[in-house]
Amino acid sequence: MKGFMIILFFCFSNVILSQNYFNERFEFSNYWLPDAALNIMEVEDGYITNGGTGTELSPYWFRIGIAKYNMTGELQWTKTWGDTISIWYYATMGAFIEHMDANFTVGSKRSFYDDYSYSETVLIKYNQSFDTIWTSTYGKKNYPYDSSYIARNFVGIENGFAVVGTLEIRTDSKCFYIPNSEIAFTNNVAVLSSNVEYYYYHEPYILIMDSLGDVKYEFNYPDSGYFFHGNSIIQTSDGGYAIGAYKHIIGNYGMAIGDPIVLKTDSLGNKEWEFNLGGPYQDGTAILCNSEDGNIVATSRYDIDSVYHDKYLSRVQLTKISNEGNIIWNKFLGDKELWSRPTNLRIDSLGGYIISGKTADNYYPDEPFDMGFMLRTDSEGDSLWYRKYAVLWDKSSRNYLYDAIPTSDGGFLGAGYCLPAGEDTGTQDAWVIKLDSLGCTSPTDCWVGQEEVVWVTTEISTQIKIYPNPAQNWFEVEIGKNKKPDRSSTVEVFDLFGRLTEKVEIPKGKNNIRLYVSDWKMGMYLVKVKNKNGVYRSGKVVIK
């Protein structure tokens, strides 16, 4: 029967995009060094991810790396670059693009002299084999090295690039340092208990680079009362730029208290407006993308409740803003989680949005404390699905996602890193996970991040039974076998793109229901069965 089902599935490939699934960890270099994947892109015959790895000199002395996977999740090759005098690292939030018929990444190089360090922005061009063609750097190149250009994101523009990042300016001979002690902070002067003053300024910058990586213009946006970090950039439909930023002060115990900021400029870099998307608590940086209709879309962590000290329950905020600075809509999405932080935002193939991120939550006893998540919405910012993922399952292990992209088969690919603890073995590895259009991890399972109610298994050894499958005129959903539930249940059916197609109730005392589907479009559908306590189980059905 199983083989028959597989054959039928491929018979309907004209209406169902063939999906690949994988969930893998890998190293850029030696197995004992820490690794992380930061950005992804799809190429003709697979996927490319970039990230960082440690060195033999020290696990904390980083090189940059690129890895290639084929479409089925097999690692094809890895390449690393770096030296013994500087730390190299890629930027996050979509810092890997194809532009002007070539591939580019942006990042930073941190160098050291005496007891101090400084960073330069790095732009790298690659050939089709992802070997470097050239590397361009920008920053302070002469003593006293009192400023750093830390690149965070970039975007391709006509005949060049716009890079955004944070400019660090040191105003004396010492680097800025915040200990875990009582601090007073006024006008960017941190006064420690020892009455020693350290001066350090942060402000967003934009570098306009030509096609060879040479800087044509530089724009800075200081704010004398705050640390101001530039983290994300888009070119807007009116020819200007929008920066996703974070503005904060240092509070007690060195804790950053601040807000997500969207800053809009004209085509010449002149500031037009600034919008604060923050609330009463800590929040996180704004991350931007363009909407299909030419507006600005921003996501950010939004803290809704303080649990204790620096621990916050958060939701994902998604906001659409016009080029004139007016809010079109604002949504709060996902579950209320501890430290739920978006890490990237991309538009998907249907004009909706896919948000990647990480969350730390110990509410569910069978989950790791740190998990990655993806959240998909439609073009109006309404949630289609929200799911958490892991490749390591010990309670103390970490699973972080830094990026997620829509793929040509209709699914999604995520990248990040995992750090084992407890019963999980190994060292910190890069992590890639391939999902279908519903965010499911396999054709027969769609884990939703909630502990599932245990039901008596059916005769085909699943907790729900969907038959006939494939279906033509109708199919039935059965809960358990010979079990009469003492409460009603709800059956929800979603199409391949996560849209709710049908919602019906199984009355109290019954364990099955029939759905008539002769007027449904052919394709694959996800079936969820749940009650007020959560999801029992989910499965898939093919309508032919």
Side-chain angles (χ1 to χ4, degrees):
M1 182 65 179
K2 184 176 179 181
F4 177 67
M5 288 292 295
I6 293 174
I7 292 170
L8 279 174
F9 176 81
F10 282 107
C11 287
F12 294 110
S13 61
N14 61 323
V15 292
I16 305 171
L17 294 172
S18 178
Q19 298 282 348
N20 290 312
Y21 302 86
F22 51 85
N23 190 10
E24 304 288 344
R25 49 193 291 202
F26 72 93
E27 297 93 15
F28 284 102
S29 54
N30 294 328
Y31 75 92
W32 56 273
L33 296 172
D35 300 278
L38 300 176
N39 302 278
I40 331 163
M41 69 163 56
E42 183 173 352
V43 293
E44 184 177 356
D45 58 347
Y47 308 105
I48 303 291
T49 181
N50 72 6
T53 183
T55 72
E56 290 78 1
L57 181 67
S58 167
Y60 307 103
W61 191 275
F62 286 101
R63 293 193 303 258
I64 53 178
I66 289 182
K68 182 179 181 182
Y69 273 83
N70 66 16
M71 291 293 186
T72 60
E74 297 177 280
L75 183 63
Q76 304 293 290
W77 49 254
T78 62
K79 301 178 181 182
T80 62
W81 296 271
D83 56 46
T84 59
I85 61 173
S86 301
I87 294 176
W88 296 68
Y89 49 97
Y90 291 118
T92 57
M93 303 177 188
F96 196 5
I97 64 172
E98 182 180 4
H99 184 50
M100 299 181 295
D101 298 321
N103 300 299
F104 297 87
T105 58
V106 72
S108 302
K109 181 180 73 168
R110 182 169 288 272
S111 301
F112 298 84
Y113 69 100
D114 297 334
D115 294 328
Y116 315 120
S117 65
Y118 67 99
S119 294
E120 299 171 80
T121 287
V122 176
L123 180 68
I124 305 175
K125 180 179 180 179
Y126 305 91
N127 62 19
Q128 293 302 310
S129 299
F130 289 90
D131 296 315
T132 57
I133 297 175
W134 49 253
T135 299
S136 175
T137 62
Y138 180 80
K140 192 69 176 289
K141 299 183 185 297
N142 299 303
Y143 187 84
Y145 305 106
D146 53 2
S147 61
S148 289
Y149 286 80
I150 303 172
R152 297 301 188 194
N153 186 226
F154 75 146
V155 64
I157 60 176
E158 185 178 4
N159 298 319
F161 309 89
V163 180
V164 73
T166 299
L167 174 62
E168 293 183 344
I169 304 171
R170 192 178 65 250
T171 60
D172 72 349
S173 61
K174 291 185 178 293
C175 291
F176 184 77
Y177 174 64
I178 294 286
N180 288 325
S181 60
E182 199 168 296
I183 298 168
F185 191 85
T186 306
N187 294 327
N188 279 329
V189 177
V191 183
L192 312 183
S193 57
S194 61
N195 294 321
V196 177
E197 295 184 352
Y198 296 83
Y199 299 82
Y200 206 73
Y201 294 83
H202 287 179
E203 58 191 52
Y205 70 82
I206 297 178
L207 302 179
I208 303 300
M209 291 181 163
D210 64 20
S211 61
L212 297 177
D214 295 322
V215 174
K216 299 164 61 179
Y217 308 105
E218 177 184 344
F219 308 107
N220 297 11
Y221 306 94
D223 190 312
S224 61
Y226 297 89
F227 284 176
F228 199 5
H229 299 266
N231 291 311
S232 178
I233 190 169
I234 59 173
Q235 187 171 34
T236 52
S237 57
D238 62 1
Y241 300 97
I243 299 174
Y246 187 66
K247 184 183 290 188
H248 68 96
I249 62 173
I250 301 296
N252 291 332
Y253 307 98
M255 182 176 60
I257 305 297
D259 294 309
I261 302 293
V262 178
L263 186 155
K264 173 71 168 59
T265 79
D266 62 18
S267 60
L268 300 177
N270 300 307
K271 180 178 173 180
E272 294 182 327
W273 51 260
E274 180 181 312
F275 203 99
N276 188 322
L277 295 171
Y281 298 110
Q282 185 167 327
D283 302 327
T285 191
I287 305 169
L288 309 183
C289 76
N290 296 98
S291 67
E292 279 194 333
D293 59 2
N295 291 293
I296 302 163
V297 178
T299 190
S300 61
R301 162 184 158 186
Y302 190 92
D303 292 344
I304 59 175
D305 191 16
S306 175
V307 179
Y308 170 73
H309 180 43
D310 62 343
K311 294 179 173 62
Y312 293 88
L313 292 175
S314 312
R315 296 193 73 189
V316 175
Q317 181 175 220
L318 189 66
T319 310
K320 188 174 184 178
I321 310 171
S322 71
N323 288 332
E324 294 72 37
N326 300 312
I327 296 291
I328 299 173
W329 45 251
N330 189 68
K331 309 289 176 73
F332 295 97
L333 308 169
D335 294 339
K336 184 170 68 173
E337 307 268 15
L338 193 65
W339 293 318
S340 187
R341 176 170 67 90
T343 53
N344 208 0
L345 168 68
R346 294 181 183 265
I347 193 166
D348 70 14
S349 58
L350 296 180
Y353 306 96
I354 184 73
I355 302 170
S356 54
K358 55 83 63 179
T359 182
D361 203 337
N362 57 3
Y363 288 165
Y364 303 110
D366 296 330
E367 294 181 15
F369 189 76
D370 292 302
M371 298 189 72
F373 72 78
M374 292 189 206
L375 192 160
R376 189 183 185 191
T377 79
D378 61 18
S379 60
E380 295 301 311
D382 294 318
S383 180
L384 297 175
W385 48 259
Y386 167 79
R387 311 201 197 288
K388 295 190 291 183
Y389 305 98
V391 68
L392 302 175
W393 287 96
D394 187 272
K395 181 69 176 176
S396 299
S397 293
R398 296 181 181 179
N399 303 269
Y400 287 2
L401 286 178
Y402 283 117
D403 195 8
I405 61 169
T407 54
S408 59
D409 64 0
F412 296 92
L413 182 69
Y417 82 89
C418 59
L419 180 63
E423 295 182 358
D424 292 322
T425 59
T427 59
Q428 178 182 315
D429 290 334
W431 173 32
V432 288
I433 181 169
K434 176 66 174 61
L435 313 165
D436 63 19
S437 62
L438 295 169
C440 302
T441 57
S442 76
T444 57
D445 181 60
C446 205
W447 185 73
V448 293
Q450 300 180 53
E451 185 177 4
E452 295 174 345
V453 180
V454 177
W455 283 85
V456 176
T457 57
T458 68
E459 59 197 17
I460 59 172
S461 300
T462 60
Q463 291 178 323
I464 65 170
K465 182 166 65 174
I466 303 171
Y467 60 91
N469 194 355
Q472 188 166 5
N473 298 312
W474 57 270
F475 67 87
E476 287 196 5
V477 179
E478 180 181 334
I479 307 172
K481 183 182 179 183
N482 302 321
K483 182 177 179 65
K484 303 299 182 184
D486 59 1
R487 66 185 69 183
S488 63
S489 304
T490 301
V491 175
E492 295 179 346
V493 184
F494 299 85
D495 68 13
L496 192 63
F497 301 105
R499 296 174 295 216
L500 182 65
T501 301
E502 190 76 36
K503 182 176 181 178
V504 295
E505 184 178 282
I506 302 177
K508 176 181 175 181
K510 291 194 63 177
N511 69 341
N512 69 298
I513 195 165
R514 178 172 293 191
L515 288 84
Y516 292 91
V517 298
S518 58
D519 58 345
W520 290 19
K521 292 181 179 179
M522 292 189 297
M524 183 184 294
Y525 293 80
L526 174 71
V527 179
K528 288 184 182 179
V529 181
K530 62 183 182 179
N531 68 10
K532 65 179 182 179
N533 291 331
V535 175
Y536 300 154
R537 182 61 69 185
S538 58
K540 292 186 179 181
V541 61
V542 174
I543 307 300
K544 64 179 183 177

